[in-house]
Amino acid sequence: MDFFSLIISSCACFPFVFSSYIGFNEWESLIPLMITSFFSFIITLRLIPIIKKTTRAAGLYGKDLNKNNPKEIPEALGIVPATAYLVTLILTQLFYASDKNSQVQYNSAAFSVCFMIFLGFADDVLNLRWRYKLLLPTIASFPLIVAYSGTTLIIVPEPLRIYLGKAIELGILYKIYMMMLAVFCTNAINIYAGVNGIEAGQSLVIASAALTHNFIEIFLHISDDIYKQHLISVSLLLPFLMSTLALLKYNKYPSKVFVGDTYCYFAGMTFAMAGILGHYSKTMLLFFIPQILNFLISVPQIFGFFECPRHRLPHYNAKEDILEPVTKHHTLINLILWIIGPTHERELVNILIILQIVSCGLAFYIRYHVSSLFY
Amino acid sequence: MDFFSLIISSCACFPFVFSSYIGFNEWESLIPLMITSFFSFIITLRLIPIIKKTTRAAGLYGKDLNKNNPKEIPEALGIVPATAYLVTLILTQLFYASDKNSQVQYNSAAFSVCFMIFLGFADDVLNLRWRYKLLLPTIASFPLIVAYSGTTLIIVPEPLRIYLGKAIELGILYKIYMMMLAVFCTNAINIYAGVNGIEAGQSLVIASAALTHNFIEIFLHISDDIYKQHLISVSLLLPFLMSTLALLKYNKYPSKVFVGDTYCYFAGMTFAMAGILGHYSKTMLLFFIPQILNFLISVPQIFGFFECPRHRLPHYNAKEDILEPVTKHHTLINLILWIIGPTHERELVNILIILQIVSCGLAFYIRYHVSSLFY
């Protein structure tokens, strides 16, 4: 077992081990969800080898540019975990959507995610233009925004209360914020890419962190509303975690399949939905620290202040089989390579995943320690 | 203006002209829907010429086999009306989903349709196997079945009441019936194909007939429940009708684009949803008379009693530019060609559309006259 599989499976187990440790004992109510999630794991594991031949035959493949003698790797395999996930979400509803309100939440979330998966797959096949990439997640987030029935009130941090009062009613601004969150999440996963297993790997770590946060809040049971919100978030994230785990078996270094925009959009929208319906969107953003850094570094190129090449990969040194930073490509991956020096792709992915784990640890520190100083 | 455009635009106008004639005056409440539907018409009209280049570049094209010097025609253009439709459905919700119950219905219907569009597009790109084509619509119909809150009671026809009583509670059987309806509708549109404009043309006629039925029921206003159910059906069908009308501009003989499985699945699922949420699924089936005939004729080949070729087109006589029946290909199109004799493709499509119109007329006769003898 390689180091990557070891850290990834540790991450996937962490929420469960940790919540048993703190004395979480709501497992019984989660049994149907665990069964359906396991189902999404098995389906993804079994179908990827079949569907990868089909996508290859349909001309959906890409060259793995960081390799000697690059082979043609089947692309857009995100459709398998995504489809397994949607089916699981439908089945999950049978057990957890007891009233009209939760049915609305499930269906609107499922519609938003499904719309984004469709658009992601269309993007993989048709290579849509950049303007659609910003417009489409905005539209895809609409169903949830319309169905969102929660508060649009935000609590003002302690030091600002003398100016702003204890809480502010944001109304429509809050809904615009949620749409922007969906756009950010879908694109942030997508542009933090370029080495084997990073898109699915970062998503798995974020999902583990978010699930841990959910389990803590369910354990604390501060109010019935908060309890229910985090339960919905768990039922969105657990099947996602399991299908991603199966995907990673084929996507980790050296990749046998690529995940495509399909997977990145699917993952991003799932996180946005979980954050919004779980009412912890600010905490969710804290789990995105590397993605936020990557976005900030990328901004000058994305918005055209510098020339933006289509792929902003590191340079592959074929002689020594290592990756070298390209200073013209403004991404976090190149920055890290510049700091640590040229590295083998396998090592680089390990470092990026560890960075993601450390960032999520920092996020927990901020959420449960630092924020208590302000609220 | 050719004859096809004339009959199709007459069909599209029929529900409105007819409902004005009977004294329908609820137009005011439909204004937001008419605006969003018009929006889906314009978007489809404008985007098809742009996206057809993209699908062509992605290798999605097919040869038009019923032509001299067959050209490569861009395929799967159903994604354009389908995407325009989903966006319209989201916007429509803002005006018509006033309570949780109607929000559940909108979102579950939208999710089912969106899932089917995604699977249809995946089928166009990946050419999925036949077993998926039966499995996938079944799964895609699940969200609606779960959210379905209507009665599962059926009224027994007069002559059978001495054996069965006045009404039967079908329970789970009714839900299975609804799933089968979704599977039937999605495949029925798909297999009644093979000449330019028939998939979109038949769908436009069915949508017009269903809308006419909706307007009649809204006008009759037998109960508030029935009124609301038909209003939901109108809000599902009107944007569908408008986006199909725009698609037909490019899909009618001689086709400049093909609609793909994407469109057929999208159309079939939209009809199933409208029939289920509008509670008129039996009437909806009556509008499918040619599709039912085609299905019955096809059954021996589909289920493998006879050899089933991939395409069951008529034979193209290039010398005389006419289509001739192929007796080995068991479809309604070949049967009609066998009856009327070899015909030009343009004439054949006109005849098939007129057959669809006559069938829908017959359906109204059965629904409003014959059925009153039994109930």
Side-chain angles (χ1 to χ4, degrees):
Chain A
M1 195 173 183
D2 58 318
F3 186 66
F4 181 81
S5 303
L6 195 72
I7 50 174
I8 284 295
S9 45
S10 309
C11 284
C13 294
F14 181 77
F16 309 97
V17 176
F18 177 75
S19 40
S20 294
Y21 171 76
I22 59 172
F24 178 96
N25 51 11
E26 316 269 337
W27 298 118
E28 212 165 298
S29 67
L30 295 179
I31 287 172
L33 180 65
M34 286 177 158
I35 294 168
T36 52
S37 301
F38 185 68
F39 169 81
S40 82
F41 174 75
I42 294 294
I43 293 285
T44 307
L45 209 59
R46 295 287 301 269
L47 277 185
I48 285 181
I50 297 168
I51 303 292
K52 82 173 190 186
K53 291 175 196 153
T54 323
T55 58
R56 179 66 192 75
L60 289 171
Y61 58 84
K63 287 231 160 102
D64 193 344
L65 299 171
N66 301 332
K67 302 282 185 299
N68 268 318
N69 309 319
K71 277 189 289 192
E72 286 171 348
I73 308 283
E75 172 68 283
L77 262 296
I79 51 162
V80 179
T83 309
Y85 177 78
L86 289 174
V87 174
T88 309
L89 213 57
I90 293 167
L91 297 176
T92 304
Q93 233 194 101
L94 294 171
F95 299 103
Y96 296 96
S98 46
D99 53 88
K100 285 283 162 215
N101 196 34
S102 58
Q103 280 186 8
V104 171
Q105 298 195 348
Y106 270 103
N107 278 298
S108 58
F111 178 31
S112 287
V113 173
C114 181
F115 199 9
M116 208 60 237
I117 292 168
F118 165 55
L119 298 172
F121 187 60
D123 197 7
D124 274 329
V125 176
L126 306 175
N127 292 311
L128 300 174
R129 294 186 202 170
W130 254 101
R131 59 166 174 254
Y132 293 117
K133 298 197 188 213
L134 295 179
L135 184 65
L136 296 177
T138 315
I139 296 170
S141 69
F142 254 63
L144 192 81
I145 309 303
V146 172
Y148 180 78
S149 58
T151 177
T152 52
L153 208 73
I154 57 158
I155 309 298
V156 176
E158 207 75 74
L160 297 175
R161 282 189 195 165
I162 45 167
Y163 308 109
L164 299 169
K166 198 156 181 287
I168 306 174
E169 173 57 73
L170 283 183
I172 189 81
L173 283 178
Y174 193 82
K175 301 207 162 187
I176 292 172
Y177 155 73
M178 290 192 294
M179 285 203 286
M180 286 172 62
L181 182 75
V183 177
F184 172 75
C185 289
T186 48
N187 286 297
I189 304 281
N190 204 20
I191 63 173
Y192 186 37
V195 284
N196 286 178
I198 185 65
E199 298 99 328
Q202 64 180 308
S203 302
L204 188 126
V205 176
I206 295 171
S208 304
L211 273 172
T212 307
H213 177 59
N214 294 150
F215 286 146
I216 294 172
E217 293 292 319
I218 291 174
F219 171 74
L220 294 175
H221 203 139
I222 293 164
S223 77
D224 277 355
D225 273 352
I226 292 177
Y227 179 89
K228 272 186 207 160
Q229 287 154 6
H230 283 276
L231 201 63
I232 283 192
S233 172
V234 170
S235 65
L236 294 177
L237 290 174
L238 196 57
F240 174 79
L241 180 92
M242 293 303 282
S243 61
T244 297
L245 199 60
L247 176 65
L248 267 166
K249 177 172 156 41
Y250 306 96
N251 182 238
K252 66 174 188 172
Y253 181 92
S255 290
K256 286 170 200 75
V257 304
F258 285 155
V259 299
D261 290 340
T262 314
Y263 179 79
C264 298
Y265 287 179
F266 156 48
M269 198 50 127
T270 304
F271 291 137
M273 296 296 102
I276 291 171
L277 289 181
H279 293 77
Y280 63 100
S281 58
K282 279 179 295 177
T283 307
M284 183 59 95
L285 274 177
L286 287 174
F287 299 138
F288 274 72
I289 294 170
Q291 289 74 17
I292 293 170
L293 280 177
N294 184 55
F295 176 71
L296 292 177
I297 299 169
S298 298
V299 158
Q301 286 194 323
I302 290 177
F303 290 97
F305 298 116
F306 292 91
E307 197 213 333
C308 184
R310 181 153 172 88
H311 294 286
R312 299 184 300 161
L313 295 175
H315 172 251
Y316 178 61
N317 179 334
K319 217 172 114 192
E320 300 184 44
D321 191 22
I322 53 172
L323 296 173
E324 293 164 349
V326 178
T327 47
K328 273 198 305 183
H329 295 173
H330 302 185
T331 67
L332 184 61
I333 293 178
N334 281 297
L335 180 65
I336 285 169
L337 272 176
W338 184 75
I339 294 168
I340 62 171
T343 315
H344 187 264
E345 187 176 6
R346 190 199 305 261
E347 298 310 311
L348 179 62
V349 183
N350 288 340
I351 289 164
L352 293 173
I353 294 299
I354 290 169
L355 175 74
Q356 185 74 52
I357 296 170
V358 172
S359 301
C360 288
L362 179 66
F364 277 106
Y365 179 74
I366 296 172
R367 168 64 180 79
Y368 286 99
H369 184 74
V370 179
S371 80
S372 67
L373 306 176
F374 293 102
Y375 286 98
Chain B
M1 198 172 181
D2 58 317
F3 186 67
F4 181 82
S5 304
L6 196 71
I7 51 174
I8 284 295
S9 46
S10 308
C11 283
C13 295
F14 181 77
F16 309 97
V17 175
F18 177 75
S19 41
S20 294
Y21 170 75
I22 59 172
F24 179 96
N25 52 10
E26 316 268 337
W27 298 118
E28 211 164 299
S29 67
L30 295 178
I31 288 172
L33 179 65
M34 287 178 156
I35 295 169
T36 53
S37 301
F38 186 67
F39 169 81
S40 82
F41 174 75
I42 294 293
I43 293 286
T44 307
L45 209 60
R46 293 289 300 269
L47 278 185
I48 286 182
I50 297 169
I51 303 293
K52 82 173 192 186
K53 290 178 196 152
T54 323
T55 57
R56 180 67 194 73
L60 289 169
Y61 57 84
K63 288 230 161 102
D64 193 342
L65 299 172
N66 300 333
K67 302 282 185 299
N68 269 316
N69 309 315
K71 276 189 290 190
E72 287 170 348
I73 309 283
E75 172 66 283
L77 262 296
I79 49 161
V80 179
T83 309
Y85 177 77
L86 289 174
V87 173
T88 308
L89 213 56
I90 294 166
L91 296 177
T92 304
Q93 232 193 100
L94 294 170
F95 300 102
Y96 296 95
S98 46
D99 53 88
K100 287 283 163 216
N101 196 34
S102 58
Q103 280 185 8
V104 171
Q105 299 196 347
Y106 270 103
N107 279 297
S108 57
F111 178 31
S112 287
V113 174
C114 181
F115 199 10
M116 207 60 239
I117 292 168
F118 164 55
L119 298 171
F121 187 59
D123 196 6
D124 274 329
V125 175
L126 306 175
N127 291 311
L128 299 175
R129 293 185 204 173
W130 254 100
R131 60 165 173 256
Y132 293 117
K133 298 197 189 214
L134 295 179
L135 183 65
L136 297 177
T138 316
I139 296 169
S141 69
F142 255 62
L144 192 81
I145 310 303
V146 172
Y148 180 78
S149 57
T151 177
T152 53
L153 209 73
I154 57 157
I155 308 298
V156 176
E158 207 76 72
L160 296 174
R161 281 189 196 165
I162 44 167
Y163 309 108
L164 298 168
K166 197 156 182 287
I168 307 174
E169 172 58 73
L170 283 182
I172 189 81
L173 284 179
Y174 194 81
K175 299 206 166 189
I176 292 172
Y177 156 72
M178 290 193 292
M179 285 203 288
M180 286 172 62
L181 182 75
V183 177
F184 172 75
C185 289
T186 47
N187 285 297
I189 303 282
N190 204 20
I191 64 173
Y192 186 38
V195 284
N196 287 178
I198 185 65
E199 298 98 327
Q202 64 181 305
S203 303
L204 187 128
V205 176
I206 295 171
S208 304
L211 273 172
T212 306
H213 178 59
N214 294 150
F215 286 145
I216 294 172
E217 294 292 319
I218 291 174
F219 170 74
L220 294 175
H221 204 137
I222 293 163
S223 77
D224 277 355
D225 274 352
I226 293 177
Y227 179 87
K228 273 187 205 158
Q229 288 155 6
H230 284 275
L231 201 61
I232 284 192
S233 173
V234 171
S235 64
L236 294 176
L237 290 174
L238 195 56
F240 173 79
L241 179 92
M242 293 303 281
S243 60
T244 297
L245 199 60
L247 175 65
L248 267 168
K249 178 173 154 41
Y250 305 97
N251 181 238
K252 66 173 188 172
Y253 180 92
S255 289
K256 286 170 198 79
V257 304
F258 286 156
V259 300
D261 290 340
T262 314
Y263 179 80
C264 298
Y265 288 178
F266 156 47
M269 198 48 126
T270 304
F271 291 136
M273 296 297 102
I276 292 170
L277 289 181
H279 293 76
Y280 63 100
S281 58
K282 279 179 293 176
T283 307
M284 182 60 95
L285 274 177
L286 286 176
F287 299 138
F288 273 73
I289 293 171
Q291 289 74 20
I292 293 170
L293 281 177
N294 184 55
F295 176 72
L296 292 176
I297 299 169
S298 298
V299 157
Q301 285 195 322
I302 291 178
F303 290 98
F305 299 114
F306 292 91
E307 196 213 334
C308 185
R310 183 154 172 83
H311 295 287
R312 300 184 298 160
L313 294 177
H315 173 252
Y316 178 61
N317 179 334
K319 214 172 117 193
E320 300 184 48
D321 192 22
I322 54 171
L323 295 174
E324 293 164 349
V326 179
T327 47
K328 274 196 306 183
H329 295 174
H330 303 186
T331 66
L332 185 61
I333 293 178
N334 282 296
L335 180 66
I336 286 170
L337 272 177
W338 184 75
I339 294 168
I340 61 171
T343 316
H344 188 264
E345 186 174 7
R346 191 200 305 260
E347 297 311 311
L348 180 62
V349 182
N350 288 341
I351 289 164
L352 294 172
I353 294 298
I354 289 168
L355 175 73
Q356 184 76 50
I357 296 170
V358 172
S359 302
C360 288
L362 179 66
F364 277 106
Y365 179 75
I366 297 173
R367 168 64 180 80
Y368 285 99
H369 184 72
V370 180
S371 80
S372 67
L373 307 176
F374 293 102
Y375 287 98

